[in-house]
Amino acid sequence: MSGLAAILGPGAGGEEAAALAMLGRLRHRGADQQQWWSEDQGRIGVTRAAWELGRGFAGGVLVLEQDQLVVAADASLYYLEELRRNLRSAGQAPRGDSPSHLIAAAYRAWGSRMVEVLEGDYAFLVWDQRTHRLFAARDFAGSRPLYFARAGEHLVLASTPVAVTAHPAVPRALNRLAIAEDLIGASSMVVGETPFSAVQRLPAGSRLLWEPGRTPRVESFWEPPVFERGEGPDADEAAEQLRALLRAAVRERLAVDGPTAVWTSGGYDSPAVLALALGARGAGTRVPVVPVSMSYPAGDPGREDELIQAVGTHLGCRIHWVDVASVPGLPEPWAWAERREEPFAHPYEEWNRALAAGSREEGARVILGGNGGDQFFGVSPVFLADLLRSGHWRELLSEARRMGFGRRDGRQIFHWVLQPALPPFLLALAARLRGRPLRAHLQSPIPDWLTLDRATIDALWERQWQYQLRRPQETFGSAETAWYLMSAFGQRIATSVVGIAQQSGVEARSPMYDRRVIEFMARRPRADRYALGETKILLRKALHGLLPAEHLAPRKARTGLPISYLNRARTAALPAWLEAVGKSLQLEELGVTDRAGIQAAMARFLRNPEWEGRLAGQLFNVLSAEFWIRSHTGPEGAPAAKVA
């Protein structure tokens, strides 16, 4: 993973000081190797960690200049043999093996349509010196970030919003609404905004086109398919096809040199990746595959040690255990804020870093996981609303009983079954009667201890997912899956996990976030994902014979919840964080919250930390944002930037 920085437009080549300041703000993304390209119309720079220059990563290429094209890429590309064949057929055989060489060849072959062919984890930019045109793009999952802003006649781009604002002509005023969304943990559908009003995020699955004197144009080149279409072969044949697709997705993401680590839980998803990775090794890939797992004490809700060990024994591999007792709680807040790209903070960062350290102990630079399994192979209880809407009431009653809904669960039944099926006018009427909207299952509540004005509160509700955003004829289950790919939540989680891993010396790759796998699962019926109390039915069928039969058997309850670790970490750290910020808050100056409200919320949390998980999460968000604002606005020691 690289840090990209660019200033483009007439005379931009002379902005050396601004360019160096931008690249300096990217040092957490790797600062061992740096390279600049410059001419009158622009400066483009890349910074990268030394380990990423090896075979299977960047290949030693930072900024590539070829045939009047300048390419800077933060990318890992997959299905390379197929891509090379297509490029040769188009008369544009690549002149090197690095992602930048392949991107240059693809641009020569297909122009801006190249992203419809390219498969991988990427953010890149191509500057055409002949036409003075920029083309940039991000992959559909959002694993690699890219931000941009106007600076007079110039366009400024970088891998982080903080690096963009290092350019002196980019305003640093804060986006109050975007920060308020971070505080409540809202997953906005307005994915292009950032904490800085002047800086935009290039959304996942989008391309950016620009030339001097024009307004930057952002176009979506991929959107999630409609799921649960009920197409394709019967379940047995579909299971074989799914296994083949997953096998290929795993094989494409294995390390070229050295071991590949698989972060393995006791669920279905990561053990599937492990089994398929070991199978790919036996089929001719000679690099070792090592499972790395978190070990919890007996009685802890996160403990899956026995399940994981049974998988390891079945597959004949040794587990590298990381003892959860050795994992730090929350990071030191000031240093953490300084290296984060946005106020948004991943609560399991130290947990992920510990797994990354275990992977490095095994010599791995690439790690695979089961990310995406819950989203694409499962579904929440919202599918019950689909059964109600379609008139399948007997099936609805049967499924609700199997999910544990009883007569005393009226609020849950209303939330999952009735509310989604209400027409918009009834939802609006209920909102007027209650004084606030009914909260959908993909929306975050707005606590009354935030000092938000009515306009901000209304905007926070409006910018979150709404039931009416479902596409024509789309089920609620499908809309939920698409939300993971379209909203800010899924994109930011993907970006943060990859970023945490990279800072820890490994590259995270997610085989289940493979476009071919996702598009295949979209064609399958809902019953392949959940039916009669069983989840991930087709995935488990596809794994038959690869994993122990007892492991693939239905389970009464979800396992492997690391919530006790997080509870301990937050209970220990949050009071100290509040004391460390002092008597005044920058968030108070923004009109978002005040210290008295935070203190009252903190006292409530500490009275019963095990039951106040949502409140603890919001306090974590608030204090993380406070430290971030102090670290990234204005010169050191200066007050926060004004609000735009």
Side-chain angles (χ1 to χ4, degrees), residues 508-629:
R509 301 175 180 176
S510 300
M512 291 184 178
Y513 261 91
D514 185 280
R515 191 173 72 188
R516 302 180 187 201
V517 172
I518 292 171
E519 291 176 350
F520 173 82
M521 283 304 299
R523 296 194 294 272
R524 302 304 302 166
R526 186 266 303 163
D528 278 358
R529 304 206 288 164
Y530 190 101
L532 300 176
E534 296 187 32
T535 189
K536 302 183 181 179
I537 295 172
L538 187 64
L539 175 64
R540 288 162 44 217
K541 193 176 186 65
L543 300 175
H544 181 72
L546 291 178
L547 294 175
E550 58 271 21
H551 187 90
L552 295 174
R555 301 179 187 179
K556 294 181 179 180
R558 187 177 178 184
T559 61
L561 301 175
I563 191 64
S564 61
Y565 160 77
L566 186 58
N567 282 342
R568 291 192 299 271
R570 294 189 298 204
T571 303
L574 293 181
W577 283 15
L578 181 57
E579 183 178 354
V581 299
K583 295 183 178 181
S584 62
L585 301 176
Q586 298 284 23
L587 288 169
E588 191 167 0
E589 296 185 18
L590 294 178
V592 175
T593 189
D594 57 31
R595 187 177 176 87
I598 297 301
Q599 285 177 320
M602 183 71 72
R604 177 182 154 198
F605 160 61
L606 293 176
R607 282 195 298 269
N608 200 347
E610 292 190 4
W611 287 94
E612 293 288 359
R614 184 184 295 278
L615 177 58
Q618 291 176 331
L619 287 170
F620 169 81
N621 294 339
V622 168
L623 294 173
S624 296
E626 176 69 20
F627 285 109
W628 185 89
I629 290 170

Side-chain angles (χ1 to χ4, degrees), residues 271-289:
V273 172
L274 175 62
L276 292 165
L278 290 166
R281 179 190 64 180
T285 304
R286 296 183 179 178
V287 296
V289 174

Side-chain angles (χ1 to χ4, degrees), residues 451-529:
T451 57
L452 301 173
D453 57 83
R454 173 50 57 183
T456 301
I457 291 173
D458 290 344
L460 288 174
W461 283 116
E462 184 64 30
R463 288 156 64 104
Q464 296 187 66
W465 185 83
Q466 311 288 332
Y467 287 118
Q468 56 265 33
L469 292 180
R470 286 184 301 114
R471 291 167 287 187
Q473 308 304 313
E474 186 173 33
T475 66
F476 293 114
S478 171
E480 176 184 76
T481 306
W483 172 85
Y484 284 104
L485 293 160
M486 297 173 66
S487 72
F489 174 80
Q491 298 180 23
R492 294 170 84 176
I493 289 293
T495 301
S496 64
V497 169
V498 171
I500 292 167
Q502 189 273 342
Q503 289 181 9
S504 303
V506 294
E507 181 175 301
R509 301 175 180 176
S510 300
M512 291 184 178
Y513 261 91
D514 185 280
R515 191 173 72 188
R516 302 180 187 201
V517 172
I518 292 171
E519 291 176 350
F520 173 82
M521 283 304 299
R523 296 194 294 272
R524 302 304 302 166
R526 186 266 303 163
D528 278 358
R529 304 206 288 164

Side-chain angles (χ1 to χ4, degrees), residues 1 63 67 75 105 128 157 175 192 194 229 257 283 294 334 384 434 441 447 457 477 496 517 519 536 540 565 609 614:
M1 189 176 72
V63 182
D67 292 344
D128 192 327
L157 303 97
N175 182 337
T194 75
R229 300 204 300 267
D257 291 321
M294 192 68 70
W334 294 107
L384 298 174
R434 298 176 76 241
H441 73 290
I457 291 173
S496 64
V517 172
E519 291 176 350
K536 302 183 181 179
R540 288 162 44 217
Y565 160 77
R614 184 184 295 278

Side-chain angles (χ1 to χ4, degrees), residues 129-160:
Q129 298 181 73
R130 293 165 298 187
T131 61
H132 294 162
R133 290 176 180 170
L134 167 75
F135 174 68
R138 285 182 72 201
D139 66 79
F140 77 89
S143 61
R144 311 294 172 91
L146 191 62
Y147 302 84
F148 65 96
R150 298 295 298 270
E153 295 182 345
H154 296 162
L155 188 70
V156 179
L157 303 97
S159 296
T160 74

Side-chain angles (χ1 to χ4, degrees), residues 203-505:
S206 296
R207 53 192 164 205
L208 170 67
L209 302 103
W210 178 79
E211 55 188 281
R214 300 288 183 89
T215 300
R217 189 168 80 251
V218 175
E219 301 175 346
S220 174
F221 66 82
W222 187 89
E223 69 173 27
V226 174
F227 285 75
E228 302 181 2
R229 300 204 300 267
E231 303 171 357
D234 62 28
D236 289 337
E237 185 176 346
E240 292 183 9
Q241 293 180 7
L242 177 58
R243 183 192 288 202
L245 287 169
L246 286 171
R247 180 183 291 115
V250 169
R251 183 181 62 245
E252 289 292 324
R253 289 162 174 82
L254 291 172
V256 175
D257 291 321
T260 298
V262 180
W263 290 1
T264 308
S265 72
Y268 302 127
D269 309 318
S270 54
V273 172
L274 175 62
L276 292 165
L278 290 166
R281 179 190 64 180
T285 304
R286 296 183 179 178
V287 296
V289 174
V290 183
V292 178
S293 299
M294 192 68 70
S295 175
Y296 293 86
D300 191 292
R303 185 175 177 86
E304 297 179 308
D305 297 39
E306 291 76 16
L307 287 167
I308 297 168
Q309 187 58 62
V311 168
T313 300
H314 179 82
L315 296 174
C317 57
R318 173 184 56 86
I319 311 292
H320 181 110
W321 293 104
V322 177
D323 187 350
V324 74
S326 69
V327 181
L330 299 182
E332 194 284 319
W334 294 107
W336 192 22
E338 199 278 332
R339 70 174 180 256
R340 286 204 320 274
E341 299 172 0
E342 298 191 62
F344 171 81
H346 198 303
Y348 287 102
E349 176 157 340
E350 292 300 306
W351 190 89
N352 280 279
R353 286 182 179 275
L355 287 173
S359 304
R360 287 295 303 122
E361 289 173 13
E362 295 289 345
R365 288 293 189 184
V366 170
I367 61 101
L368 308 182
N371 301 339
D374 289 340
Q375 297 93 314
F376 309 130
F377 298 103
V379 65
S380 78
V382 76
F383 80 91
L384 298 174
D386 290 315
L387 296 177
L388 175 66
R389 194 166 57 112
S390 60
H392 292 84
W393 296 344
R394 182 174 297 177
E395 185 180 358
L396 166 62
L397 291 173
S398 175
E399 293 284 12
R401 289 193 191 101
R402 288 177 179 269
M403 298 186 81
F405 287 136
R407 293 181 180 179
R408 297 183 180 181
D409 297 314
R411 293 185 64 179
Q412 290 295 311
I413 291 172
F414 178 82
H415 181 74
W416 291 109
V417 183
L418 299 177
Q419 182 182 333
L422 291 177
F425 79 92
L426 284 180
L427 290 172
L429 176 61
R432 286 198 298 271
L433 293 175
R434 298 176 76 241
R436 62 184 186 278
L438 294 172
R439 185 173 67 86
H441 73 290
L442 297 175
Q443 295 178 338
S444 297
I446 303 171
D448 55 13
W449 45 269
L450 294 180
T451 57
L452 301 173
D453 57 83
R454 173 50 57 183
T456 301
I457 291 173
D458 290 344
L460 288 174
W461 283 116
E462 184 64 30
R463 288 156 64 104
Q464 296 187 66
W465 185 83
Q466 311 288 332
Y467 287 118
Q468 56 265 33
L469 292 180
R470 286 184 301 114
R471 291 167 287 187
Q473 308 304 313
E474 186 173 33
T475 66
F476 293 114
S478 171
E480 176 184 76
T481 306
W483 172 85
Y484 284 104
L485 293 160
M486 297 173 66
S487 72
F489 174 80
Q491 298 180 23
R492 294 170 84 176
I493 289 293
T495 301
S496 64
V497 169
V498 171
I500 292 167
Q502 189 273 342
Q503 289 181 9
S504 303

